[in-house]
Each structure stands twice: as structure tokens, then as C-alpha cells.
PDB file of all heavy atoms in Angstrom:
ATOM      1  N   ALA A 561       1.305   1.853  -0.199  1.00 98.00           N
ATOM      2  CA  ALA A 561       0.134   0.987  -0.035  1.00 98.00           C
ATOM      3  C   ALA A 561      -0.255   0.864   1.434  1.00 98.00           C
ATOM      4  O   ALA A 561      -1.444   0.941   1.780  1.00 98.00           O
ATOM      5  CB  ALA A 561       0.424  -0.393  -0.625  1.00 98.00           C
ATOM      6  N   LYS A 562       0.721   0.688   2.315  1.00 98.00           N
ATOM      7  CA  LYS A 562       0.432   0.574   3.753  1.00 98.00           C
ATOM      8  C   LYS A 562      -0.157   1.879   4.291  1.00 98.00           C
ATOM      9  O   LYS A 562      -1.070   1.859   5.124  1.00 98.00           O
ATOM     10  CB  LYS A 562       1.705   0.208   4.514  1.00 98.00           C
ATOM     11  CG  LYS A 562       2.167  -1.217   4.266  1.00 98.00           C
ATOM     12  CD  LYS A 562       3.479  -1.510   4.988  1.00 98.00           C
ATOM     13  CE  LYS A 562       3.947  -2.924   4.719  1.00 98.00           C
ATOM     14  NZ  LYS A 562       5.255  -3.213   5.378  1.00 98.00           N
ATOM     15  N   TRP A 563       0.347   3.000   3.795  1.00 98.00           N
ATOM     16  CA  TRP A 563      -0.186   4.301   4.229  1.00 98.00           C
ATOM     17  C   TRP A 563      -1.645   4.444   3.808  1.00 98.00           C
ATOM     18  O   TRP A 563      -2.482   4.900   4.592  1.00 98.00           O
ATOM     19  CB  TRP A 563       0.663   5.434   3.645  1.00 98.00           C
ATOM     20  CG  TRP A 563       0.308   6.790   4.176  1.00 98.00           C
ATOM     21  CD1 TRP A 563       0.865   7.439   5.233  1.00 98.00           C
ATOM     22  CD2 TRP A 563      -0.719   7.668   3.666  1.00 98.00           C
ATOM     23  NE1 TRP A 563       0.264   8.658   5.423  1.00 98.00           N
ATOM     24  CE2 TRP A 563      -0.716   8.823   4.479  1.00 98.00           C
ATOM     25  CE3 TRP A 563      -1.631   7.578   2.626  1.00 98.00           C
ATOM     26  CZ2 TRP A 563      -1.588   9.883   4.264  1.00 98.00           C
ATOM     27  CZ3 TRP A 563      -2.509   8.635   2.412  1.00 98.00           C
ATOM     28  CH2 TRP A 563      -2.484   9.773   3.222  1.00 98.00           C
ATOM     29  N   LEU A 564      -1.942   4.067   2.572  1.00 98.00           N
ATOM     30  CA  LEU A 564      -3.320   4.164   2.087  1.00 98.00           C
ATOM     31  C   LEU A 564      -4.260   3.271   2.896  1.00 98.00           C
ATOM     32  O   LEU A 564      -5.362   3.700   3.286  1.00 98.00           O
ATOM     33  CB  LEU A 564      -3.376   3.769   0.602  1.00 98.00           C
ATOM     34  CG  LEU A 564      -2.719   4.737  -0.384  1.00 98.00           C
ATOM     35  CD1 LEU A 564      -2.667   4.125  -1.776  1.00 98.00           C
ATOM     36  CD2 LEU A 564      -3.446   6.081  -0.412  1.00 98.00           C
ATOM     37  N   ILE A 565      -3.831   2.053   3.169  1.00 98.00           N
ATOM     38  CA  ILE A 565      -4.670   1.130   3.947  1.00 98.00           C
ATOM     39  C   ILE A 565      -4.883   1.661   5.356  1.00 98.00           C
ATOM     40  O   ILE A 565      -5.998   1.603   5.894  1.00 98.00           O
ATOM     41  CB  ILE A 565      -4.015  -0.271   3.978  1.00 98.00           C
ATOM     42  CG1 ILE A 565      -4.036  -0.895   2.577  1.00 98.00           C
ATOM     43  CG2 ILE A 565      -4.733  -1.184   4.967  1.00 98.00           C
ATOM     44  CD1 ILE A 565      -3.203  -2.151   2.450  1.00 98.00           C
ATOM     45  N   ALA A 566      -3.820   2.224   5.953  1.00 98.00           N
ATOM     46  CA  ALA A 566      -3.934   2.778   7.304  1.00 98.00           C
ATOM     47  C   ALA A 566      -4.909   3.940   7.353  1.00 98.00           C
ATOM     48  O   ALA A 566      -5.481   4.226   8.415  1.00 98.00           O
ATOM     49  CB  ALA A 566      -2.557   3.212   7.802  1.00 98.00           C
ATOM     50  N   HIS A 567      -5.091   4.605   6.215  1.00 97.00           N
ATOM     51  CA  HIS A 567      -6.027   5.742   6.154  1.00 97.00           C
ATOM     52  C   HIS A 567      -7.335   5.335   5.469  1.00 97.00           C
ATOM     53  O   HIS A 567      -8.052   6.176   4.935  1.00 97.00           O
ATOM     54  CB  HIS A 567      -5.374   6.911   5.435  1.00 97.00           C
ATOM     55  CG  HIS A 567      -4.274   7.557   6.230  1.00 97.00           C
ATOM     56  ND1 HIS A 567      -3.007   7.008   6.337  1.00 97.00           N
ATOM     57  CD2 HIS A 567      -4.267   8.694   7.002  1.00 97.00           C
ATOM     58  CE1 HIS A 567      -2.268   7.793   7.098  1.00 97.00           C
ATOM     59  NE2 HIS A 567      -3.000   8.806   7.519  1.00 97.00           N
ATOM     60  N   GLU A 568      -7.626   4.046   5.468  1.00 97.00           N
ATOM     61  CA  GLU A 568      -8.906   3.476   5.039  1.00 97.00           C
ATOM     62  C   GLU A 568      -9.183   3.656   3.546  1.00 97.00           C
ATOM     63  O   GLU A 568     -10.324   3.877   3.128  1.00 97.00           O
ATOM     64  CB  GLU A 568     -10.054   4.046   5.879  1.00 97.00           C
ATOM     65  CG  GLU A 568      -9.898   3.755   7.370  1.00 97.00           C
ATOM     66  CD  GLU A 568     -11.070   4.275   8.181  1.00 97.00           C
ATOM     67  OE1 GLU A 568     -11.807   5.156   7.690  1.00 97.00           O
ATOM     68  OE2 GLU A 568     -11.235   3.801   9.321  1.00 97.00           O
ATOM     69  N   HIS A 569      -8.124   3.539   2.756  1.00 98.00           N
ATOM     70  CA  HIS A 569      -8.270   3.542   1.304  1.00 98.00           C
ATOM     71  C   HIS A 569      -7.828   2.192   0.765  1.00 98.00           C
ATOM     72  O   HIS A 569      -7.087   1.456   1.420  1.00 98.00           O
ATOM     73  CB  HIS A 569      -7.443   4.659   0.673  1.00 98.00           C
ATOM     74  CG  HIS A 569      -7.834   6.023   1.145  1.00 98.00           C
ATOM     75  ND1 HIS A 569      -9.012   6.616   0.781  1.00 98.00           N
ATOM     76  CD2 HIS A 569      -7.204   6.898   1.978  1.00 98.00           C
ATOM     77  CE1 HIS A 569      -9.098   7.811   1.357  1.00 98.00           C
ATOM     78  NE2 HIS A 569      -8.023   8.001   2.089  1.00 98.00           N
ATOM     79  N   LYS A 570      -8.273   1.888  -0.438  1.00 98.00           N
ATOM     80  CA  LYS A 570      -7.981   0.574  -1.026  1.00 98.00           C
ATOM     81  C   LYS A 570      -7.047   0.725  -2.221  1.00 98.00           C
ATOM     82  O   LYS A 570      -7.448   1.212  -3.277  1.00 98.00           O
ATOM     83  CB  LYS A 570      -9.277  -0.107  -1.486  1.00 98.00           C
ATOM     84  CG  LYS A 570      -9.051  -1.467  -2.154  1.00 98.00           C
ATOM     85  CD  LYS A 570     -10.350  -2.040  -2.689  1.00 98.00           C
ATOM     86  CE  LYS A 570     -10.106  -3.365  -3.418  1.00 98.00           C
ATOM     87  NZ  LYS A 570     -11.360  -3.914  -3.989  1.00 98.00           N
ATOM     88  N   PRO A 571      -5.785   0.300  -2.081  1.00 98.00           N
ATOM     89  CA  PRO A 571      -4.879   0.333  -3.237  1.00 98.00           C
ATOM     90  C   PRO A 571      -5.108  -0.875  -4.144  1.00 98.00           C
ATOM     91  O   PRO A 571      -5.342  -1.987  -3.660  1.00 98.00           O
ATOM     92  CB  PRO A 571      -3.494   0.261  -2.588  1.00 98.00           C
ATOM     93  CG  PRO A 571      -3.709  -0.466  -1.299  1.00 98.00           C
ATOM     94  CD  PRO A 571      -5.109  -0.146  -0.850  1.00 98.00           C
ATOM     95  N   ILE A 572      -5.050  -0.676  -5.445  1.00 98.00           N
ATOM     96  CA  ILE A 572      -5.132  -1.795  -6.387  1.00 98.00           C
ATOM     97  C   ILE A 572      -3.965  -1.702  -7.362  1.00 98.00           C
ATOM     98  O   ILE A 572      -3.498  -0.606  -7.686  1.00 98.00           O
ATOM     99  CB  ILE A 572      -6.473  -1.828  -7.155  1.00 98.00           C
ATOM    100  CG1 ILE A 572      -6.668  -0.553  -7.981  1.00 98.00           C
ATOM    101  CG2 ILE A 572      -7.646  -2.045  -6.218  1.00 98.00           C
ATOM    102  CD1 ILE A 572      -7.859  -0.622  -8.911  1.00 98.00           C
ATOM    103  N   PHE A 573      -3.504  -2.866  -7.822  1.00 97.00           N
ATOM    104  CA  PHE A 573      -2.330  -2.928  -8.679  1.00 97.00           C
ATOM    105  C   PHE A 573      -2.618  -3.571 -10.033  1.00 97.00           C
ATOM    106  O   PHE A 573      -1.799  -3.493 -10.938  1.00 97.00           O
ATOM    107  CB  PHE A 573      -1.223  -3.722  -7.972  1.00 97.00           C
ATOM    108  CG  PHE A 573      -0.795  -3.123  -6.663  1.00 97.00           C
ATOM    109  CD1 PHE A 573      -1.402  -3.510  -5.465  1.00 97.00           C
ATOM    110  CD2 PHE A 573       0.206  -2.165  -6.609  1.00 97.00           C
ATOM    111  CE1 PHE A 573      -1.011  -2.957  -4.256  1.00 97.00           C
ATOM    112  CE2 PHE A 573       0.608  -1.612  -5.405  1.00 97.00           C
ATOM    113  CZ  PHE A 573      -0.008  -2.007  -4.226  1.00 97.00           C
ATOM    114  N   GLU A 574      -3.772  -4.211 -10.164  1.00 96.00           N
ATOM    115  CA  GLU A 574      -4.108  -4.920 -11.388  1.00 96.00           C
ATOM    116  C   GLU A 574      -4.501  -3.928 -12.492  1.00 96.00           C
ATOM    117  O   GLU A 574      -5.433  -3.142 -12.306  1.00 96.00           O
ATOM    118  CB  GLU A 574      -5.259  -5.904 -11.162  1.00 96.00           C
ATOM    119  CG  GLU A 574      -4.940  -7.013 -10.163  1.00 96.00           C
ATOM    120  CD  GLU A 574      -5.053  -6.568  -8.710  1.00 96.00           C
ATOM    121  OE1 GLU A 574      -5.502  -5.419  -8.478  1.00 96.00           O
ATOM    122  OE2 GLU A 574      -4.656  -7.337  -7.821  1.00 96.00           O
ATOM    123  N   ILE A 575      -3.776  -3.967 -13.600  1.00 94.00           N
ATOM    124  CA  ILE A 575      -4.009  -3.024 -14.695  1.00 94.00           C
ATOM    125  C   ILE A 575      -5.450  -3.077 -15.179  1.00 94.00           C
ATOM    126  O   ILE A 575      -6.078  -2.040 -15.447  1.00 94.00           O
ATOM    127  CB  ILE A 575      -3.048  -3.295 -15.866  1.00 94.00           C
ATOM    128  CG1 ILE A 575      -1.597  -3.044 -15.448  1.00 94.00           C
ATOM    129  CG2 ILE A 575      -3.410  -2.434 -17.073  1.00 94.00           C
ATOM    130  CD1 ILE A 575      -1.302  -1.633 -15.018  1.00 94.00           C
ATOM    131  N   GLU A 576      -6.014  -4.287 -15.268  1.00 93.00           N
ATOM    132  CA  GLU A 576      -7.375  -4.431 -15.787  1.00 93.00           C
ATOM    133  C   GLU A 576      -8.433  -3.868 -14.846  1.00 93.00           C
ATOM    134  O   GLU A 576      -9.594  -3.708 -15.231  1.00 93.00           O
ATOM    135  CB  GLU A 576      -7.680  -5.903 -16.093  1.00 93.00           C
ATOM    136  CG  GLU A 576      -7.630  -6.838 -14.898  1.00 93.00           C
ATOM    137  CD  GLU A 576      -6.232  -7.373 -14.606  1.00 93.00           C
ATOM    138  OE1 GLU A 576      -5.271  -6.881 -15.225  1.00 93.00           O
ATOM    139  OE2 GLU A 576      -6.121  -8.281 -13.768  1.00 93.00           O
ATOM    140  N   GLN A 577      -8.050  -3.531 -13.613  1.00 94.00           N
ATOM    141  CA  GLN A 577      -9.002  -2.954 -12.660  1.00 94.00           C
ATOM    142  C   GLN A 577      -8.799  -1.450 -12.453  1.00 94.00           C
ATOM    143  O   GLN A 577      -9.521  -0.831 -11.652  1.00 94.00           O
ATOM    144  CB  GLN A 577      -8.894  -3.674 -11.314  1.00 94.00           C
ATOM    145  CG  GLN A 577      -9.325  -5.129 -11.350  1.00 94.00           C
ATOM    146  CD  GLN A 577      -9.294  -5.790  -9.976  1.00 94.00           C
ATOM    147  OE1 GLN A 577      -9.313  -5.106  -8.951  1.00 94.00           O
ATOM    148  NE2 GLN A 577      -9.245  -7.109  -9.950  1.00 94.00           N
ATOM    149  N   MET A 578      -7.842  -0.856 -13.147  1.00 95.00           N
ATOM    150  CA  MET A 578      -7.533   0.552 -12.930  1.00 95.00           C
ATOM    151  C   MET A 578      -8.728   1.465 -13.201  1.00 95.00           C
ATOM    152  O   MET A 578      -8.846   2.541 -12.636  1.00 95.00           O
ATOM    153  CB  MET A 578      -6.349   0.972 -13.818  1.00 95.00           C
ATOM    154  CG  MET A 578      -5.013   0.401 -13.371  1.00 95.00           C
ATOM    155  SD  MET A 578      -4.483   1.050 -11.767  1.00 95.00           S
ATOM    156  CE  MET A 578      -3.245  -0.175 -11.315  1.00 95.00           C
ATOM    157  N   HIS A 579      -9.636   1.016 -14.079  1.00 94.00           N
ATOM    158  CA  HIS A 579     -10.782   1.859 -14.422  1.00 94.00           C
ATOM    159  C   HIS A 579     -11.732   2.071 -13.247  1.00 94.00           C
ATOM    160  O   HIS A 579     -12.618   2.938 -13.301  1.00 94.00           O
ATOM    161  CB  HIS A 579     -11.548   1.253 -15.606  1.00 94.00           C
ATOM    162  CG  HIS A 579     -12.213  -0.038 -15.291  1.00 94.00           C
ATOM    163  ND1 HIS A 579     -11.548  -1.246 -15.298  1.00 94.00           N
ATOM    164  CD2 HIS A 579     -13.514  -0.332 -14.934  1.00 94.00           C
ATOM    165  CE1 HIS A 579     -12.394  -2.207 -14.969  1.00 94.00           C
ATOM    166  NE2 HIS A 579     -13.577  -1.688 -14.753  1.00 94.00           N
ATOM    167  N   THR A 580     -11.558   1.295 -12.176  1.00 96.00           N
ATOM    168  CA  THR A 580     -12.408   1.463 -10.993  1.00 96.00           C
ATOM    169  C   THR A 580     -11.830   2.467 -10.006  1.00 96.00           C
ATOM    170  O   THR A 580     -12.448   2.744  -8.972  1.00 96.00           O
ATOM    171  CB  THR A 580     -12.594   0.112 -10.275  1.00 96.00           C
ATOM    172  OG1 THR A 580     -11.329  -0.334  -9.756  1.00 96.00           O
ATOM    173  CG2 THR A 580     -13.144  -0.943 -11.228  1.00 96.00           C
ATOM    174  N   SER A 581     -10.673   3.032 -10.292  1.00 96.00           N
ATOM    175  CA  SER A 581      -9.967   3.912  -9.357  1.00 96.00           C
ATOM    176  C   SER A 581     -10.508   5.338  -9.396  1.00 96.00           C
ATOM    177  O   SER A 581     -10.952   5.824 -10.439  1.00 96.00           O
ATOM    178  CB  SER A 581      -8.466   3.941  -9.682  1.00 96.00           C
ATOM    179  OG  SER A 581      -7.911   2.657  -9.663  1.00 96.00           O
ATOM    180  N   SER A 582     -10.424   5.999  -8.248  1.00 96.00           N
ATOM    181  CA  SER A 582     -10.748   7.430  -8.198  1.00 96.00           C
ATOM    182  C   SER A 582      -9.614   8.255  -8.778  1.00 96.00           C
ATOM    183  O   SER A 582      -9.831   9.300  -9.389  1.00 96.00           O
ATOM    184  CB  SER A 582     -11.010   7.850  -6.752  1.00 96.00           C
ATOM    185  OG  SER A 582     -12.133   7.175  -6.230  1.00 96.00           O
ATOM    186  N   PHE A 583      -8.391   7.809  -8.544  1.00 96.00           N
ATOM    187  CA  PHE A 583      -7.231   8.380  -9.223  1.00 96.00           C
ATOM    188  C   PHE A 583      -6.113   7.348  -9.213  1.00 96.00           C
ATOM    189  O   PHE A 583      -6.183   6.331  -8.539  1.00 96.00           O
ATOM    190  CB  PHE A 583      -6.784   9.720  -8.621  1.00 96.00           C
ATOM    191  CG  PHE A 583      -6.230   9.654  -7.223  1.00 96.00           C
ATOM    192  CD1 PHE A 583      -4.865   9.509  -6.990  1.00 96.00           C
ATOM    193  CD2 PHE A 583      -7.067   9.793  -6.121  1.00 96.00           C
ATOM    194  CE1 PHE A 583      -4.357   9.474  -5.707  1.00 96.00           C
ATOM    195  CE2 PHE A 583      -6.571   9.763  -4.832  1.00 96.00           C
ATOM    196  CZ  PHE A 583      -5.197   9.596  -4.616  1.00 96.00           C
ATOM    197  N   ILE A 584      -5.072   7.641 -10.020  1.00 97.00           N
ATOM    198  CA  ILE A 584      -3.960   6.711 -10.184  1.00 97.00           C
ATOM    199  C   ILE A 584      -2.694   7.348  -9.625  1.00 97.00           C
ATOM    200  O   ILE A 584      -2.374   8.499  -9.941  1.00 97.00           O
ATOM    201  CB  ILE A 584      -3.721   6.368 -11.675  1.00 97.00           C
ATOM    202  CG1 ILE A 584      -4.996   5.816 -12.320  1.00 97.00           C
ATOM    203  CG2 ILE A 584      -2.558   5.388 -11.815  1.00 97.00           C
ATOM    204  CD1 ILE A 584      -5.408   4.464 -11.845  1.00 97.00           C
ATOM    205  N   LEU A 585      -1.979   6.596  -8.804  1.00 98.00           N
ATOM    206  CA  LEU A 585      -0.643   6.993  -8.369  1.00 98.00           C
ATOM    207  C   LEU A 585       0.371   6.332  -9.287  1.00 98.00           C
ATOM    208  O   LEU A 585       0.353   5.120  -9.471  1.00 98.00           O
ATOM    209  CB  LEU A 585      -0.375   6.553  -6.933  1.00 98.00           C
ATOM    210  CG  LEU A 585      -1.169   7.245  -5.825  1.00 98.00           C
ATOM    211  CD1 LEU A 585      -0.863   6.599  -4.481  1.00 98.00           C
ATOM    212  CD2 LEU A 585      -0.828   8.730  -5.782  1.00 98.00           C
ATOM    213  N   VAL A 586       1.235   7.134  -9.876  1.00 97.00           N
ATOM    214  CA  VAL A 586       2.284   6.604 -10.745  1.00 97.00           C
ATOM    215  C   VAL A 586       3.613   6.807 -10.039  1.00 97.00           C
ATOM    216  O   VAL A 586       4.022   7.938  -9.766  1.00 97.00           O
ATOM    217  CB  VAL A 586       2.287   7.309 -12.113  1.00 97.00           C
ATOM    218  CG1 VAL A 586       3.464   6.827 -12.948  1.00 97.00           C
ATOM    219  CG2 VAL A 586       0.980   7.043 -12.839  1.00 97.00           C
TER     220      VAL A 586
END
């Protein structure tokens, strides 16, 4: 998560919001 934020990406963890993601990290 810190790496993504440092590279100007937005990590999300809420299952109900996953549909807004460009891709999913498992």
C-alpha cells in the first residue's frame, strides 16, 4: 500500500468498492 501511494496510486481495501478498481492485487 505504501509503495502504491508513493507512486501516486490509490489502494482500496473495502470489498464493496472493489468494482471501482483498475485491477485487484491478491
Side-chain angles (χ1 to χ4, degrees):
K562 289 177 181 178
W563 188 93
L564 291 172
I565 292 170
H567 290 78
E568 300 182 341
H569 300 289
K570 178 185 177 182
I572 61 171
F573 300 91
E574 297 80 6
I575 296 299
E576 62 274 9
Q577 294 184 20
M578 288 294 162
H579 67 278
T580 65
S581 303
S582 297
F583 67 93
I584 304 291
L585 291 175
V586 175

